[in-house]
Amino acid sequence: MAATLERRELGNTGLKVSYIGFGASPLGDVFGPVSHGNALAAVREALRLGINFFDTSPYYGGTVSETVLGNCLKELGVRRDDIVVSTKCGRYIDGFDFSAERVTRSIDESLARLKMGYVDILNCHDIEFGSLDQIVNETIPALQKLKEAGKIRFIGITGLPLGVFTYVLDRVPPGSVDVILSYCHYSINDSTLVDLLPYLKSKGVGVITASPLAMGLLTENGPPEWHPASPELKSACRAAAAHCKEKGKNISKVALQYSLTNKEISTVLIGMNSSRQVEENVAAALELSHEGMDEDLLQEVSAVLEPVKNQTWPSGVQQT
Ligand code: NAD
């Protein structure tokens, strides 16, 4: 298959990212164990098929994801300029710490694990669990210094409740947050991010979305044990997957294609743990650009999910 994956501008960063991004949380064994061989094959296949954006975090697998991704990229001899790498700070396996001191130390630890001199994007990870005023007044200024020191090129914020993005972006100096990473809000079962896109555009921030399969809800195998969705939402997604299977279709394919259709979103991060998944997902993207969406199937799946449409789950400490 020729590497013809579309690349999109990421806000005002000047970065051009493949519209499928490689979510590396599975490489931290978050969705079950992944051998080094499978991880390496997945990263190799991603690069071969034109994926140039890789996302990780010190939180995923308690630093394992960063280490595995760094090892794979090094073993494959990837040129640093050919890829865009994002990692995160403030969320760790032992809790949250968005202090200037911790995030400043964190990037050095991440760079050592990733075996790189800089990352393209450093995201404050799941800011709804910290004080948003600390993010505005302490964390982002600390990241600004890391930018000046050349350890990071751009600054991002991530979180589940959409209100955290407006809270922070309304309070920081223009241009100090380059990107936002939203997850589980642009997939067939929950598309609430769409209402925020004009605001994000007006702020000049790049938009990354994640979890088009709703962290495993929209897969034939279903979500991992720790998935926070309600039993009602899990059961509706199971029914939607079964509906697709009955028709000889795969729910993951239609779910990913749905997330890729909005051009205001620069890239969609999907977690992948094998070369087979990479191939399937890239094939789904290419099929979408050549043949368009299977609108009939999308309508049928949407109808099954209608009773739980836009249902989410609580995350973080309430403050906005
Ligand atoms: P996802 O919706 O991408 O689902 C991942 C799961 O789907 C994994 O089990 C994966 O093995 C499986 N999968 C992938 N392709 C498949 C296919 N073709 N068929 C069947 N199953 C398939 O959820 P995710 O991994 O949580 O999200 C993607 C990435 O986005 C993460 O790896 C991470 O990098 C990022 N992310 C960031 C945040 C945050 O910053 N707060 C939150 C969620 C995700």
Side-chain angles (χ1 to χ4, degrees):
M1 190 191 299
T4 52
L5 261 196
E6 185 181 328
R7 296 211 169 157
R8 293 179 183 164
E9 297 276 348
L10 182 58
N12 294 332
T13 63
L15 297 173
K16 285 191 121 185
V17 283
S18 49
Y19 77 149
I20 291 190
F22 189 104
S25 73
L27 302 190
D29 299 336
V30 168
F31 293 89
V34 181
S35 68
H36 179 68
N38 277 349
L40 188 68
V43 174
R44 182 192 284 119
E45 197 61 358
L47 291 162
R48 191 179 77 81
L49 295 178
I51 292 178
N52 74 336
F53 180 42
F54 294 83
D55 176 70
T56 181
S57 163
Y59 174 63
Y60 300 150
T63 72
V64 171
S65 167
E66 282 189 335
T67 303
V68 171
L69 180 64
N71 287 343
C72 291
L73 293 170
K74 183 160 190 220
E75 213 169 318
L76 294 167
V78 181
R79 275 194 39 207
R80 184 64 189 86
D81 293 357
D82 287 345
I83 52 172
V84 174
V85 176
S86 81
T87 191
K88 313 197 181 76
C89 63
R91 180 167 202 178
Y92 308 97
I93 203 76
D94 54 356
F96 292 86
D97 186 348
F98 291 100
S99 66
E101 186 276 323
R102 184 68 188 98
V103 300
T104 302
R105 191 154 42 88
S106 185
I107 186 63
D108 289 334
E109 296 163 358
S110 291
L111 291 175
R113 287 188 288 266
L114 286 163
K115 298 168 191 64
M116 299 175 175
Y118 68 92
V119 290
D120 298 278
I121 304 166
L122 184 63
N123 291 293
C124 303
H125 195 172
D126 291 344
I127 57 175
E128 69 269 29
F129 288 92
S131 149
L132 295 183
D133 291 324
Q134 183 185 33
I135 300 291
V136 170
N137 299 316
E138 181 178 341
T139 322
I140 288 169
L143 266 49
Q144 216 74 49
K145 290 196 182 132
L146 297 177
K147 214 180 199 184
E148 285 155 21
K151 294 182 183 184
I152 70 174
R153 295 180 66 198
F154 299 104
I155 294 171
I157 49 178
T158 88
L160 183 72
L162 295 170
V164 299
F165 298 121
T166 47
Y167 188 95
V168 170
L169 291 170
D170 281 344
R171 287 165 178 79
V172 292
S176 51
V177 170
D178 302 291
V179 301
I180 65 107
L181 189 169
S182 162
Y183 71 101
C184 288
H185 288 312
Y186 204 93
S187 48
I188 302 181
N189 59 302
D190 179 340
S191 54
T192 43
L193 180 68
V194 79
D195 296 334
L196 201 64
L197 292 175
Y199 166 89
L200 294 169
K201 195 169 189 178
S202 77
K203 291 283 181 185
V205 297
V207 181
I208 301 168
T209 63
S211 312
L213 311 185
M215 303 194 301
L217 283 177
L218 303 174
T219 62
E220 278 183 7
N221 291 339
E225 268 304 298
W226 50 258
H227 201 291
S230 70
E232 187 195 9
L233 178 52
K234 285 181 181 164
S235 133
C237 292
R238 244 191 331 269
H243 177 85
C244 293
K245 199 168 182 183
E246 256 168 46
K247 304 204 95 179
K249 310 272 177 150
N250 188 320
I251 185 135
S252 301
K253 180 170 150 187
V254 68
L256 174 60
Q257 289 182 333
Y258 173 83
S259 295
L260 291 171
T261 47
N262 195 319
K263 299 219 172 200
E264 302 288 312
I265 294 169
S266 300
T267 182
V268 176
L269 285 165
I270 178 163
M272 296 183 275
N273 61 18
S274 67
S275 54
R276 189 187 54 78
Q277 282 184 355
V278 174
E279 280 158 17
E280 272 180 24
N281 295 335
V282 171
L286 295 179
E287 187 187 297
L288 177 70
S289 42
H290 296 137
E291 295 167 29
M293 199 68 217
D294 182 341
E295 292 293 343
D296 291 343
L297 185 64
L298 177 62
Q299 270 189 21
E300 289 162 25
V301 171
S302 304
V304 176
L305 294 172
E306 186 54 35
V308 291
K309 179 72 180 170
N310 295 338
Q311 187 186 110
T312 184
W313 45 85
S315 179
V317 289
Q318 295 299 314
Q319 50 188 331
T320 56

